[in-house]
Amino acid sequence: MSLHEWYRRRERGLPPRIGDTDMIHRTIFRSLQPKLLPDELSRPHRCGQDRGAICNLEFSPDGTVLAAACEHKSIVLFDPLTEKQVCAVDNAHDGSVNCIRFVDNRTFASCSDDTTVALWDSRNLSTKLRTLNGHSGWVKNIEYAKQAGILISSGLDGLVYGWELNNSTEQGCTYQRLLYMPGLMRCRLAPDETRLVLCTSSGYLMLVHDLHLPSFAGDLVDFRPNIHRLNLMRRQRFPCASRKTPAVCHSRKRNRIEFVSDFPPGDDAEMISGLTIHPQGWCALSRNLSYDEKTEWSVVHDIQSWDEEDDDTHTDQENLHPEEEEQTETEQKQDQDHDQEEDTHSGFVDEKKQQINGIILSESTWCNSSTMQRNVINKLPPNGTNGDGGDVPTTISNEKAVWPPETNVARKRTAKHVPADGTRLLYYIQESNKVEGYMREACFSPDGRVICSPHDDYGVRLLAFNEHCNEMQYARQYVSNGSAPEILRELQYKSCHPHVVISSQFSPRFPLLVTGCLLGNVVWNLPVLS
């Protein structure tokens, strides 16, 4: 069905049909066209003067301001409605401005190669609100945890700092060193602020589940990521002290560490320079360069926490010798008998032993950013039944009216055991590798259906989880159900710049895609419906 047919049905008062929402989104995304005319594409430095490459683009939460981080020490603000430059700050830093993150609709932070983080008020850019000093290397990424009021910065010095913005001093803000991670490249925070994802130059991702920033530094004070990573690569049995480290224990209730290192065939990942998180927090999109530097890949990994009742006993048993396995089974049986005696004596059963399969419902809309992420927990009976003995469907098809695609139903966990580190690969696609020395950042659309990835020499391509532009949970079953990782589908490719594109961002408020290139051009891509 076309968009015109949908309009006619709507005018006649007919109810929407299954698949209409997917068709509307697919039509809008495929109709995105650059606003600039072909003769304007040859104009260098649309920002006015030569401010260098557009390293990062960031919208304010309400979508009324677009900030551009420029290579030549500058910050430029745009009005997305008029698509015109509002103001610019030259020499905002003493080095390249790498990233911008909004704290609220008016206050934002910037980080730079000059090793500092700065706070700004968009209503008065004549001076900085604060300058935060602490890093000893280039600061490449910043995130803001709104609930805790903490700004998280990460740099090529391998350090992750947490800055308490509500506790300022004459020197800046109270801060704490959260983690040291050799080869750190990027650090991203999930939208619900319960997980932290870090990527490295050593070919792996590190997930922090059940994130609790106030106790983060204390919980990981003795944790050595590189040593634990080597143990995983060698497939050796963990030392007893390492197995019982709280950070890697699967039963840990906060700040639990997991390593992810599974990549598609042919992708011997090493330098993971790009990282972004799905708007619903379901997955992480990373961009990596292979070990031989001949291929470049975009890879999607699941980052959701497992609903497991197992502790680290299952993981440890995979590394035990036969004699140790027998001894462990005997100890577990004794522990179970002891637990049963205690439960009988106390007269209750631990609620943690009850298995409840949960499904997360969420709605997202492009027109109202305040309702983009509403999550409602809907509990189902255990063992995948509907309460009457029937099976609960675990896959969604546009041809079956089981659950309407207009309602986002997250994928249900079905694994009985906690998987080994690195079994989270979902999607992948090979990228062009014609630019060296620059980090090329991809982005998700606000509803998470589409990925904008810088591609080839002078353009971007839009990728989806399948050809219907379905949301991720409708596009495929989970990997643990037997389906292999799939290739991302290309919706369209647009050559829209006079030079290589290295940054992109979707508006949270309008159907608008903005891209930036090495020459400093900013191109506005809007839907043009015929």
Side-chain angles (χ1 to χ4, degrees), residues 159-170:
L159 293 173
V160 179
Y161 282 105
W163 310 83
E164 299 181 20
L165 299 186
N166 297 327
N167 190 7
S168 60
T169 63
E170 294 181 356

Side-chain angles (χ1 to χ4, degrees), residues 90-157:
D90 296 326
N91 297 317
H93 285 270
D94 293 333
S96 172
V97 183
N98 298 318
C99 182
I100 291 176
R101 191 71 68 229
F102 277 86
V103 175
D104 52 41
N105 291 327
R106 294 293 176 262
T107 308
F108 65 89
S110 62
C111 64
S112 170
D113 286 350
D114 64 3
T115 73
T116 68
V117 177
L119 295 177
W120 304 85
D121 188 336
S122 60
R123 295 166 294 186
N124 181 17
L125 296 174
S126 59
T127 181
K128 303 175 184 178
L129 295 178
R130 290 282 188 277
T131 299
L132 310 179
N133 296 280
H135 284 277
S136 59
W138 294 353
V139 187
K140 289 297 184 182
N141 190 75
I142 44 181
E143 296 288 311
Y144 180 62
K146 184 177 181 180
Q147 298 177 6
I150 295 178
L151 189 73
I152 303 172
S153 63
S154 61
L156 297 188
D157 55 2

Side-chain angles (χ1 to χ4, degrees), residues 318-459:
E318 296 179 355
N319 302 291
L320 294 178
H321 294 293
E323 297 179 358
E324 293 176 319
E325 291 180 358
E326 295 178 0
Q327 182 179 358
T328 303
E329 292 177 357
T330 303
E331 293 176 353
Q332 290 179 353
K333 184 176 181 180
Q334 294 175 355
D335 293 340
Q336 292 176 358
D337 295 339
H338 180 68
D339 292 340
Q340 291 177 358
E341 293 177 1
E342 289 185 351
D343 293 339
T344 303
H345 178 73
S346 59
F348 69 92
V349 179
D350 191 354
E351 294 181 355
K352 294 182 181 179
K353 296 180 181 180
Q354 299 178 1
Q355 294 184 349
I356 301 178
N357 294 327
I359 288 184
I360 302 176
L361 300 180
S362 63
E363 295 180 358
S364 63
T365 173
W366 207 335
C367 301
N368 187 353
S369 60
S370 63
T371 62
M372 283 184 60
Q373 296 181 11
R374 287 188 300 174
N375 296 327
V376 180
I377 303 301
N378 179 21
K379 295 299 181 181
L380 293 179
N383 300 328
T385 61
N386 58 13
D388 299 328
D391 294 334
V392 175
T394 57
T395 60
I396 305 298
S397 173
N398 289 338
E399 300 177 358
K400 297 181 180 180
V402 181
W403 291 330
E406 286 77 13
T407 303
N408 298 338
V409 184
R411 297 171 292 111
K412 182 173 64 175
R413 295 294 186 192
T414 57
K416 296 182 179 180
H417 300 290
V418 181
D421 290 337
T423 55
R424 290 181 171 271
L425 179 62
L426 297 178
Y427 296 90
Y428 64 93
I429 193 169
Q430 187 171 350
E431 301 281 5
S432 62
N433 182 25
K434 297 183 179 181
V435 183
E436 297 180 359
Y438 287 91
M439 298 180 179
R440 307 180 73 177
E441 291 285 357
C443 66
F444 281 100
S445 62
D447 54 7
R449 295 172 181 263
V450 170
I451 297 169
C452 177
S453 176
H455 185 67
D456 209 352
D457 289 335
Y458 307 125

Side-chain angles (χ1 to χ4, degrees), residues 195 207 209-210 250 252 256 258-260 302-310 411-426 478-481:
R195 282 148 296 158
L207 311 183
H209 298 282
D210 303 314
H250 290 284
R252 180 155 185 87
R256 178 172 61 85
E258 178 185 354
F259 286 86
V260 176
D302 180 11
I303 62 170
Q304 297 182 86
S305 298
W306 292 89
D307 296 332
E308 75 276 357
E309 65 175 345
D310 305 297
R411 297 171 292 111
K412 182 173 64 175
R413 295 294 186 192
T414 57
K416 296 182 179 180
H417 300 290
V418 181
D421 290 337
T423 55
R424 290 181 171 271
L425 179 62
L426 297 178
Y478 188 57
V479 175
S480 61
N481 289 342

Side-chain angles (χ1 to χ4, degrees), residues 475-506:
R476 67 189 295 275
Q477 291 184 344
Y478 188 57
V479 175
S480 61
N481 289 342
S483 57
E486 298 180 3
I487 298 177
L488 291 168
R489 305 300 178 88
E490 182 175 335
L491 292 181
Q492 71 165 340
Y493 168 76
K494 292 296 179 183
S495 180
C496 54
H497 277 271
H499 213 291
V500 176
V501 179
I502 62 173
S503 59
S504 60
Q505 194 63 253
F506 280 96

